[in-house]
């Protein structure tokens, strides 16, 4: 399929590029940190079938941050995923930031004020907060509970 025929394709490109460029702005080259960056998308039909994700993964630390956007509903979430035995814990970054006093605003407030630079605003909010307050959040020795 020609990408120009896919109305969702520009959204996916903008979403992934916004988070990738913000990551590089704040943290530099992911290879220097031994992190992995991933862009994924789904193009199915029906409710919640279309989405874009951007993941930052520390394979040595068993932690990932996943940003996900559903273009049909406009919903967004940011989660820290921590591998534990026997599975995985999900931590809402909005709740984590608020609880630790890193930020009073969440994705809904960012979306309301972002305008046409929605994904860049979301990326700068989340990655800037992490860079300023918890840059080692993906490291296994970073304590999530006080």
């Amino acid at each position: 399929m020609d990408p120009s025929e896919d109305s969702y394709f520009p959204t996916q490109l903008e979403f992934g590029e916004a988070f990738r460029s913000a990551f590089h702005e704040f943290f530099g080259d992911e290879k220097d940190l031994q992190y992995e960056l991933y862009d994924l998308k789904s193009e199915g039909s029906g409710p919640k079938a279309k989405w874009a994700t951007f993941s930052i993964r520390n394979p040595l630390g068993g932690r990932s941050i996943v940003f996900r956007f559903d273009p049909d509903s406009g919903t967004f979430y940011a989660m820290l995923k921590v591998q534990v035995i026997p599975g995985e814990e999900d931590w809402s970054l909005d709740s984590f930031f608020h609880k630790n006093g890193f930020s009073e605003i969440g994705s809904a407030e960012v979306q309301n004020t972002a305008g046409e630079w929605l994904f860049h605003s979301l990326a700068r909010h989340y990655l800037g907060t992490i860079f300023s307050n918890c840059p080692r959040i993906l490291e296994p020795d970073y304590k999530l509970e006080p």
Side-chain angles (χ1 to χ4, degrees), residues 10-91:
T11 300
Q12 168 60 20
L13 287 178
E14 184 184 345
F15 185 81
E17 183 54 35
F19 279 90
R20 189 173 299 275
S21 66
F23 180 89
H24 290 154
E25 175 186 349
F26 289 110
F27 297 101
D29 190 332
E30 63 273 16
K31 292 176 183 75
D32 293 341
L33 299 168
Q34 298 183 332
Y35 290 177
E36 299 169 346
L37 304 183
Y38 298 100
D39 297 83
L40 299 172
K41 71 175 180 172
S42 171
E43 297 182 20
S45 60
K48 299 187 180 183
K50 289 186 180 179
W51 46 261
T53 65
F54 184 81
S55 299
I56 304 164
R57 180 173 176 257
N58 177 357
L60 302 175
R63 294 184 180 194
S64 301
I65 295 175
V66 178
F67 303 101
R68 180 173 171 157
F69 180 73
D70 176 348
D72 289 337
S73 66
T75 55
F76 173 86
Y77 77 82
M79 300 293 288
L80 170 67
K81 296 184 171 285
V82 180
Q83 290 177 346
V84 295
I85 304 222
E88 188 173 76
E89 290 179 352
D90 289 348
W91 292 65

